[in-house]
Amino acid sequence: MKECKILHLVLKGDGITEVVAEDINIGLVEAGYNVTMAYLRDHDKALPKTVATSKVGLGLTTRLRFAFDWLALRRLSKLLLAGNYDVVLSHRYKPCILLMHLVRKFPAVEFVNVVHGTGHYDKPSRSKAIKRLAHERFRFVCVSDAVAEFIRNRCGVGTTASPVEVIPNGIDIQELDAQQLSRDNARLELSLDNESIWIGFAGRLTEIKGVRELIRGFAPLAKTYPSAKLAILGKGELRHELENLINSHDLQDQVSLLGQVPLARRYFKAFDAFILPSYREGMSIALLEAMATGLPLLVSDIPMNTALIDENAIIFEAKKSESISIALQAFLESESVKLEADGKANRRLAVMKYDIGVFRKNYLELIQELCGESRRELAPLSVKGRNTSTSFCNG
């Protein structure tokens, strides 16, 4: 059997997408696959480090505007012709739609697009384009059941099948354990006192993260629970508004905006619980890291969050500060024995379902299947394996 060659395409060499792509590369290269990492926007002279067998930058820029897609298709076609690839992996919408235009031109190639979230696929023009171009050799791998359901429902059913399946993102729990500071050292580094009950958030300070509602939900509890405090890690467009909100509720002593903290997960043991009040998520890496840290969890009820957790978490209604207040009070009134047990259960779930080893194994099985090295029917698997279906592509 000839060597199976893989082209792995991302938009550019930075951000969480590229971290996920590199985690996939590690598993494939360790298994002996020939992987070429390709970057749409990066130039050959400025490519990031990768474990891939080779790498190439197509050097495209958004300054090209209307010529971007035309040039991208030309360069991708040339790359596919020259490389004789068997499988092409891509991430997010722009690489996805470019490759969907090429799927019929390359009948010997299997295409896979990884869908990290719903935001880039929810415009009507984009969902219609995906429906129109759907093809049985172009499958979608979604990071959660909720994202897969959104993709199916949003784009409808095309005239040809595009299989949809789920492979949850993974985190390197062993590396996380090695990097994390102890509770006392983490609090010292973040300038958090040791006596208080710290509820942590880590993420962008944008509207969809729900941090505004978090502060409003915390405000009514502040005087009743003076030892309860919020630690908010991250930067974003709402920083000034959140500062004003803290001042207007006289919460300066109980809510700390800590700004951007490099490798925020190193400090998660400083928290007594982790809260994620987002309106929309793909698959929150911060939530997985908090879960693996063994923290009690409070999360909004959006499917992208609730799909990751179990009954140990406290769930509240998204966009509702009153619901956040009730959830925070439930946490603050909980017995320490229960909170400790919840944290341990979260840790076990993370190890079983979201460890990087499980993630890499699932992608390795997918590539083996696409390369004809392993044939199995697409059927739902247990939570430990890949969740697959033969549904038509909806996005």
Side-chain angles (χ1 to χ4, degrees):
M1 183 180 293
K2 77 179 183 70
E3 178 185 46
C4 186
K5 297 183 66 177
I6 300 159
L7 179 67
H8 199 167
L9 177 67
V10 296
L11 192 61
K12 56 182 178 178
D14 57 24
I16 189 65
T17 302
E18 288 66 43
V19 173
V20 174
E22 193 65 2
D23 281 333
I24 295 171
N25 288 341
I26 290 170
L28 296 179
V29 171
E30 286 179 349
Y33 283 97
N34 183 316
V35 181
T36 297
M37 196 69 207
Y39 306 87
L40 269 178
R41 290 189 187 170
D42 289 329
H43 192 275
D44 275 335
K45 294 181 179 179
L47 296 179
K49 291 182 179 179
T50 177
V51 300
T53 315
S54 59
K55 57 185 177 180
V56 60
L58 300 185
L60 298 170
T61 171
T62 53
R63 291 193 299 272
L64 295 168
R65 300 187 67 185
F66 300 113
F68 183 95
D69 287 0
W70 180 76
L71 282 173
L73 288 171
R74 286 196 64 184
R75 294 182 188 182
L76 284 171
S77 294
K78 184 178 179 180
L79 186 60
L80 287 169
L81 285 169
N84 193 27
Y85 296 103
D86 299 282
V87 179
V88 180
L89 282 166
S90 64
H91 298 257
R92 300 195 186 275
Y93 177 78
K94 175 55 74 174
C96 165
I97 204 64
L98 290 170
L99 291 170
M100 290 192 87
H101 280 92
L102 297 177
V103 65
R104 290 165 176 83
K105 185 178 178 180
F106 294 91
V109 181
E110 298 284 347
F111 294 83
V112 178
N113 180 251
V114 182
V115 185
H116 295 260
T118 61
H120 295 284
Y121 297 80
D122 59 0
K123 293 182 179 180
S125 60
R126 293 182 173 186
S127 59
K128 288 179 182 178
I130 290 174
K131 178 180 178 180
R132 177 171 54 85
L133 296 168
H135 192 280
E136 61 186 4
R137 282 186 293 102
F138 198 105
R139 79 174 59 197
F140 290 82
V141 174
C142 302
V143 299
S144 71
D145 290 322
V147 172
E149 189 65 21
F150 174 91
I151 287 295
R152 294 187 185 103
N153 292 336
R154 186 66 178 181
C155 291
V157 175
T159 57
T160 56
S162 257
V164 177
E165 62 179 285
V166 176
I167 298 181
N169 282 343
I171 57 173
D172 191 330
I173 296 178
Q174 184 175 358
E175 182 181 78
L176 173 69
D177 292 343
Q179 289 180 343
Q180 285 188 318
L181 300 177
S182 67
R183 180 180 184 274
D184 289 346
N185 287 339
R187 290 193 171 192
L188 181 64
E189 290 286 332
L190 295 176
S191 299
L192 308 179
D193 66 83
N194 273 325
E195 293 74 32
S196 298
I197 300 170
W198 286 98
I199 301 164
F201 164 86
R204 303 186 314 278
L205 305 185
T206 59
E207 183 174 4
I208 66 169
K209 289 296 184 178
V211 190
R212 186 192 293 121
E213 288 75 17
L214 171 59
I215 294 172
R216 288 174 178 159
F218 178 77
L221 304 175
K223 290 183 179 180
T224 306
Y225 302 94
S227 64
K229 298 183 179 180
L230 293 180
I232 298 174
L233 283 63
K235 65 179 181 179
E237 61 201 42
L238 293 185
R239 169 80 191 212
H240 183 64
E241 180 181 342
L242 297 178
E243 289 174 344
N244 291 337
L245 193 59
I246 291 168
N247 292 334
S248 67
H249 288 286
D250 196 23
L251 296 173
Q252 298 90 332
D253 294 332
Q254 287 181 262
V255 180
S256 297
L257 295 178
L258 301 176
Q260 185 70 17
V261 178
L263 281 177
R265 64 184 188 173
R266 295 185 65 228
Y267 306 94
F268 276 13
K269 287 185 179 179
F271 306 147
D272 295 289
F274 183 85
I275 188 164
L276 187 63
S278 44
Y279 303 176
R280 187 175 70 208
E281 290 283 349
M283 186 177 191
S284 171
I285 297 298
L287 179 56
L288 296 185
E289 291 169 344
M291 188 184 298
T293 301
L295 295 176
L297 303 172
L298 301 90
V299 302
S300 59
D301 62 354
I302 60 172
M304 293 75 170
N305 288 343
T306 57
L308 302 184
I309 59 175
D310 57 20
E311 67 275 4
N312 298 298
I314 298 174
I315 300 172
F316 53 86
E317 190 174 354
K319 303 185 182 182
K320 299 289 185 180
S321 57
E322 299 86 354
S323 185
I324 294 176
S325 293
I326 294 170
L328 289 170
Q329 185 171 12
F331 163 72
L332 294 169
E333 293 290 340
S334 295
E335 297 288 339
S336 59
V337 174
K338 181 184 184 308
L339 294 176
E340 183 178 356
D342 288 348
K344 289 180 178 178
N346 291 332
R347 165 78 180 193
R348 287 195 298 271
L349 180 61
V351 170
M352 178 185 73
K353 195 172 179 182
Y354 303 117
D355 183 68
I356 196 67
V358 177
F359 171 82
R360 290 173 182 160
K361 178 177 179 289
N362 287 334
Y363 271 99
L364 179 59
E365 289 180 352
L366 171 64
I367 296 302
Q368 287 173 338
E369 175 191 313
L370 295 176
C371 289
E373 299 165 10
S374 149
R375 293 294 181 184
R376 58 178 180 76
E377 293 185 8
L378 294 177
L381 299 182
S382 69
V383 293
K384 293 185 181 181
R386 290 168 57 201
N387 180 357
T388 65
S389 75
T390 54
S391 301
F392 286 106
C393 163
N394 298 324

